Amino acid sequence: MLKVDKITVANGRVIALREVSIQVNEGEIVTLIGSNGAGKSTMLNAIAGFATLQSGNIWLRDQNINGITPYQTVGLGLAYVPEGREIFGSMSVADNLILGAYSWCAGKPFSTLGYIGWFLRQPLVQSNLEMVFRLFPVLKERHKQQAGKLSGGEQQMLAIGRALMSSPKIILLDEPSLGLAPNLVREILKLLVKLRDDGITILLIEQDASAALKIADRAYVMERGRITVEGTADDLLNDDKVRQAYLGKSIA
Amino acid sequence: MSVDQFLQYLISGITQGSIYALVALGFTIIYAVTRVINFAQGEFVMLGGMLSFLLISSFGIPLIPSLILAVLFTAIIGAIIYLLAIRTAKKASVVSLIIITIGVSIFIRGFTREFLGVDSVRPPFFTGDESLTIFGALIRPQALWIIGTTIVVTIILHLFLSRTMMGNALKASAISTRAAAMVGIDSRVMALTAFVIAAVIGSIGGAVMAPLVLTSYNVGVMLGLKGFVSASIGGFKSPIISVIGGITIGVIESLAVGINWGPFTSSYKDAIAIVALLIILLIRSGRLALEERAD
């Protein structure tokens, strides 16, 4: 599904990623573990097209996506839920979700009617909207509300819902549980498992490494821009070094 | 001033203000999406009027096709300005881009002057010039066209921004180009769209006003300034407030001429917008300083 092959990325003068390779197979939840500044977010930014590669290749379903512009990745079936959610705060919940389906309308620049068309009449948009409302009933209740006035958990649901509106094959999630109450975190992680079971591939960054490993199929540990450990989630949960470094608190 | 007179000045103020409102809408849309203040906005208005005159009077094309062609041509010029002058200077700062738009406006003005001359011209009235009487005040049919056009354009723009995917995408791009990219919105397409919409709205205004107030190659300078002041009332943020701002400036100007006392005479009419701009800048810079301190 997604293959990152020896990419090097610099943030300014600092090398954030050094010849890093990861692979995400179809139908997997893969998680990146590591302390702040290890390069996890840079990895997602690079895949989504927000960071320039100095070397290496990124393949999405056998298509090379090096140097792709961010707005093009959505059309290729890749959705990005960044840290901080980046929803459109001054727009309504429904408008945020509908924009998630923008790539269907914009993919054909000359089909002006589809582009400017009244969105509620577009059956694809409508059926995805219903799907998101089934997953997150609270978003349906508040669909007219301003997105910026939702609670943190609801905003996170909205960000994930907006990503789902594009019918993605793979979702990149950067710290979806940041700042959320523990029961909400559990709910969101449970949802990710459900999405995986529905056939969506997931690449997840999560501060709470033990929680992430519990739902993940495979995992990579990152340190200072490199992958130091990789393996199945179970392997990592039982790896002494990983337990000490990243799971210490949650095991005790 | 009698009630009849007041009404008369009010109507002429609303008419003039409607034109400012259309200019202000152009400023607001381009600023919201690109953060560029397009000082060529007044030239769109000038082109709408001059081109419709050229097509009707020199080429003998009927009114409605002339208007459509004038607006279409100006829309193409709006797209060319973005593609040639703004997009190519992509890495430039916003201030540089604003200076580029000033250069573009000088170019368009000079070009028009060279080919169409310096004379003021008057295209024919849309539906004659037999004034109607409303509550004792006279109103010319072309003024009704101007006011009506502004209302219709504002409503269509509002529906476009709130009810269509593309309008939503424009708003999203205005909020954050990064977040917009995450849902697949190409900010350059949005910027192009904004320039085309601004050119269309500006040229419609220019074509509708020309029969009533005449037009010439340099009419865009003052209209651009008034539209800029109108848009700055709402901080270039809200289309609706920009429209209200335009009409307010128009009405104040007209009433000031009506008072005809002290500084309020027709010779100082244009100074009112400048004074309004100074007041807005003073209030806004104070607020900006406060916001900075809050950060």
Side-chain angles (χ1 to χ4, degrees):
Chain A
M1 172 63 76
L2 177 72
K3 196 171 166 217
V4 175
D5 188 22
K6 290 190 179 162
I7 60 167
T8 301
V9 176
N11 288 338
R13 286 192 168 185
V14 184
I15 304 281
L17 296 174
R18 249 177 241 278
E19 299 202 342
V20 178
S21 301
I22 65 167
Q23 188 166 348
V24 183
N25 301 317
E26 193 160 352
E28 276 188 328
I29 297 180
V30 173
T31 182
L32 299 179
I33 301 171
S35 50
N36 284 332
K40 305 179 307 263
S41 294
T42 308
M43 173 77 88
L44 295 201
N45 269 326
I47 296 169
F50 285 101
T52 320
L53 303 187
Q54 292 193 331
S55 65
N57 286 295
I58 302 176
W59 304 85
L60 181 66
R61 290 192 287 167
D62 298 325
Q63 187 183 347
N64 189 305
I65 57 167
N66 290 9
I68 201 166
T69 37
Y71 67 88
Q72 290 172 314
T73 55
V74 188
L76 297 174
L78 184 145
Y80 182 22
V81 183
E83 193 179 348
R85 300 158 198 144
E86 307 215 17
I87 54 170
F88 304 111
S90 58
M91 297 173 77
S92 75
V93 169
D95 281 352
N96 266 272
L97 289 173
I98 286 160
L99 274 171
Y102 175 84
S103 53
W104 293 338
C105 309
K108 321 154 205 98
F110 296 108
S111 71
T112 329
L113 270 181
Y115 200 33
I116 302 183
W118 296 70
F119 48 71
L120 285 179
R121 295 205 184 139
Q122 296 190 357
L124 278 170
V125 179
Q126 194 63 35
S127 69
N128 266 13
L129 200 57
E130 276 161 21
M131 181 262 297
V132 171
F133 283 159
R134 266 199 306 277
L135 282 176
F136 305 109
V138 65
L139 294 183
K140 185 172 189 177
E141 269 166 45
R142 314 221 157 154
H143 71 279
K144 281 187 180 158
Q145 211 170 342
Q146 229 183 38
K149 292 191 175 143
L150 298 178
S151 72
E154 289 161 354
Q155 287 191 13
Q156 189 61 55
M157 291 176 196
L158 179 59
I160 296 174
R162 190 180 71 184
L164 291 173
M165 287 296 289
S166 66
S167 305
K169 300 274 183 291
I170 178 165
I171 301 188
L172 317 180
L173 290 130
D174 196 345
E175 307 248 7
S177 70
L178 199 70
L180 300 189
N183 59 327
L184 272 174
V185 176
R186 272 196 298 279
E187 214 170 291
I188 286 196
L189 293 179
K190 222 160 68 188
L191 173 86
L192 297 185
V193 175
K194 183 175 168 1
L195 293 178
R196 192 254 328 259
D197 296 343
D198 290 344
I200 297 175
T201 309
I202 291 168
L203 177 56
L204 170 71
I205 296 180
E206 182 49 64
Q207 270 302 317
D208 186 348
S210 64
L213 285 172
K214 271 173 204 148
I215 63 158
D217 299 292
R218 289 189 307 110
Y220 294 87
V221 177
M222 294 188 72
E223 270 172 47
R224 283 188 231 118
R226 291 175 198 275
I227 302 282
T228 50
V229 184
E230 61 175 283
T232 65
D234 289 338
D235 286 349
L236 265 69
L237 275 170
N238 296 316
D239 185 306
D240 284 342
K241 220 179 95 196
V242 174
R243 282 166 73 136
Q244 235 174 12
Y246 300 103
L247 309 174
K249 278 178 193 164
S250 50
I251 278 179
Chain B
M1 208 185 334
S2 69
V3 176
D4 285 4
Q5 274 176 317
F6 174 78
L7 212 57
Q8 193 68 59
Y9 283 116
L10 188 67
I11 288 172
S12 93
I14 292 173
T15 309
Q16 191 63 39
S18 294
I19 302 166
Y20 301 160
L22 292 178
V23 186
L25 276 178
F27 273 113
T28 305
I29 286 179
I30 291 183
Y31 176 80
V33 177
T34 65
R35 299 290 180 267
V36 171
I37 291 169
N38 170 36
F39 279 105
Q41 189 60 37
E43 309 317 322
F44 292 149
V45 184
M46 182 273 286
L47 283 172
M50 291 300 276
L51 288 171
S52 63
F53 172 78
L54 181 74
L55 293 166
I56 296 169
S57 304
S58 304
F59 295 128
I61 299 172
L63 176 72
I64 292 172
S66 292
L67 295 178
I68 293 172
L69 283 175
V71 171
L72 205 66
F73 192 75
T74 314
I76 293 170
I77 290 180
I80 292 174
I81 291 175
Y82 171 69
L83 293 173
L84 288 187
I86 304 294
R87 188 165 178 167
T88 46
K90 213 185 150 210
K91 290 271 157 67
S93 70
V94 166
V95 174
S96 313
L97 293 176
I98 292 170
I99 293 169
I100 288 175
T101 69
I102 296 175
V104 167
S105 79
I106 294 171
F107 174 80
I108 294 177
R109 225 176 296 141
F111 200 81
T112 313
R113 181 193 163 137
E114 206 53 45
F115 283 87
L116 300 179
V118 294
D119 298 332
S120 285
V121 296
R122 182 201 290 279
F125 292 105
F126 288 8
T127 48
D129 193 27
E130 218 165 291
S131 294
L132 306 151
T133 315
I134 298 174
F135 300 117
L138 288 175
I139 182 161
R140 298 168 80 175
Q142 197 62 35
L144 284 179
W145 275 106
I146 294 172
I147 296 167
T149 303
T150 303
I151 294 171
V152 170
V153 165
T154 308
I155 291 172
I156 290 178
L157 183 71
H158 174 75
L159 288 176
F160 172 74
L161 288 176
S162 60
R163 294 270 196 278
T164 70
M165 185 63 110
M166 203 175 174
N168 255 8
L170 273 176
K171 281 197 287 185
S173 199
I175 294 170
S176 157
T177 51
R178 186 180 143 89
M182 283 171 199
V183 297
I185 297 168
D186 182 353
S187 60
R188 293 170 308 172
V189 172
M190 291 303 123
L192 175 65
T193 310
F195 269 86
V196 170
I197 293 175
V200 166
I201 293 177
S203 59
I204 289 176
V208 179
M209 68 160 226
L212 189 68
V213 295
L214 279 69
T215 190
S216 72
Y217 80 98
N218 65 359
V219 78
V221 179
M222 199 43 90
L223 284 174
L225 177 74
K226 304 284 176 67
F228 174 79
V229 176
S230 311
S232 57
I233 288 177
F236 295 91
K237 285 200 182 100
S238 152
I240 301 293
I241 295 177
S242 298
V243 170
I244 295 169
I247 291 172
T248 309
I249 296 281
V251 168
I252 293 175
E253 273 184 5
S254 177
L255 291 180
V257 173
I259 291 169
N260 202 13
W261 166 84
F264 301 107
T265 62
S266 58
S267 36
Y268 286 116
K269 188 181 137 198
D270 289 335
I272 288 167
I274 313 279
V275 172
L277 181 61
L278 281 175
I279 295 169
I280 294 163
L281 288 177
L282 280 173
I283 296 171
R284 291 219 161 258
S285 63
R287 202 176 290 165
L288 279 180
L290 277 179
E291 278 168 17
E292 253 168 50
R293 226 171 291 159
D295 286 343

